Amino acid sequence: MTGKLVVVPTPIGNLGDMTARALDALRAADVVCAEDTRVTGKLLAAFGISKRLERLDEALIGARAGGVVERVLAGEVIAYCSDAGMPGVSDPGLRLVAAARAAGAPVEVLPGPVAAATAYVASGCASASFFFGGFFPRKAAEQRARLESLRALDAALIFYESPNRVAAALGAIAEVFPLRQVTVCRELTKLHEEVVRGAAGEVRDAFAARAEEPGGVRGEIVLVIDGPSEAEEAVAAADALTAAHGRAVELAAQGLRTKEIAKRVAAEFGLARNDAYELAMEAGR
């Protein structure tokens, strides 16, 4: 079998980040499938590569992935590029790779630029790990629900966002995580690259003001939210203790014995046995 699917990453902004191996793969391919043939066409032209291009975007990949895989199995070498960065990372290329793997077709993935990883390092956050959540939810309720679901994760949270929605996104982040540091990475590797870091509320206010200015906020954006801080954990612990005390009082009013109150409060709020017993004692007084 000589055919294979080659996943070819492209620069997220600076053409100098195109690797020699990626260029060799594009030159050797029988055809290049692209998320947007106009974008990839310009890239190929910049490096003097003439190659047949086929569009394979979000709207088409579901219906055409099977056909592309059949061509690979028949011996064709097909390269796939997204508009920028690593195909498959918040990109329809993930389904193409999955289809190829399921069919047993050879897949070669080349390493290259990823905006999420670049932003994680550029942010300077202290978290030793990160969670990549793709594009930030659009609706306010979904934004809050997503952030709340990730509250306990001991990792930086990374999302892609549109410049038109970044102010609203930062508003949701500041509401849910008022004590965390947030970084906005804009136009990474490009001429007007910008990294803005600060307390969630400060960054929110800065970009809310920018959104009102002529031209608003422009460019590709990555949001990095630091993991839980000591201050946030202290506040959460105090809130949990207050809630546990209220629950103990409620159970005492129902006539439950001290030991049973302590047992239930410890289970519901994850408290140490001694702490739960002290709350139960106080509630019974």
Side-chain angles (χ1 to χ4, degrees):
M1 184 183 294
T2 58
K4 63 180 175 179
L5 171 66
V6 187
V7 178
V8 182
T10 56
I12 58 176
N14 193 317
L15 285 180
D17 295 331
M18 193 70 178
T19 68
R21 188 179 173 197
L23 291 172
D24 288 343
L26 291 173
R27 294 188 184 103
D30 295 312
V31 63
V32 176
C33 290
E35 186 179 6
D36 189 328
T37 55
R38 295 167 299 181
V39 173
T40 302
K42 291 178 181 178
L43 176 71
L44 294 180
F47 290 99
I49 300 173
S50 179
K51 193 67 58 173
R52 180 163 60 90
L53 288 166
E54 294 181 9
R55 190 178 186 92
L56 200 61
D57 58 16
E58 181 71 34
L60 299 174
I61 204 163
R64 296 185 179 177
V68 171
V69 172
E70 288 180 3
R71 289 162 55 188
V72 170
L73 291 171
E76 200 168 351
V77 177
I78 299 179
Y80 177 77
C81 299
S82 60
D83 288 349
M86 176 64 74
V89 180
S90 284
D91 170 86
L94 192 63
R95 280 182 282 172
L96 182 60
V97 173
R101 293 293 188 196
V107 178
E108 182 179 9
V109 180
L110 307 187
V114 180
T118 304
Y120 169 63
V121 176
S123 72
C125 70
S127 301
S129 57
F130 69 84
F131 168 87
F132 175 60
F135 283 93
F136 199 62
R138 294 191 178 194
K139 297 181 179 179
E142 294 176 355
Q143 292 173 347
R144 288 192 294 273
R146 189 69 186 283
L147 292 173
E148 288 289 358
S149 72
L150 298 169
R151 179 184 291 278
L153 195 62
D154 186 18
L157 309 177
I158 301 178
F159 296 96
Y160 292 160
E161 184 54 290
S162 158
N164 298 326
R165 296 192 298 270
V166 67
L170 290 169
I173 293 168
E175 179 182 340
V176 178
F177 298 132
L179 299 178
R180 295 197 188 186
Q181 294 284 303
V182 174
T183 306
V184 177
C185 297
R186 190 178 68 83
E187 293 290 84
L188 288 171
T189 78
K190 299 178 184 177
L191 179 62
H192 300 292
E193 175 178 305
E194 180 183 32
V195 177
V196 179
R197 179 174 173 80
E202 295 174 353
V203 177
R204 171 202 59 201
D205 293 345
F207 278 85
R210 281 207 209 179
E212 298 299 324
E213 297 174 356
V217 182
R218 297 181 179 180
E220 302 292 330
I221 289 175
V222 186
L223 303 174
V224 183
I225 308 166
D226 280 20
S229 64
E230 291 183 1
E232 181 178 339
E233 291 173 351
V235 170
D239 289 344
L241 198 60
T242 300
H245 180 267
R247 178 60 171 155
V249 171
E250 178 185 327
L251 293 173
Q254 295 174 12
L256 272 68
R257 298 172 60 184
T258 300
K259 287 185 177 181
E260 181 61 24
I261 294 173
K263 181 179 178 181
R264 292 196 185 186
V265 169
E268 291 180 20
F269 295 91
L271 297 179
R273 183 181 301 177
N274 290 341
D275 292 338
Y277 193 79
E278 286 184 13
L279 286 177
M281 290 286 288
E282 290 178 12
R285 290 171 187 168

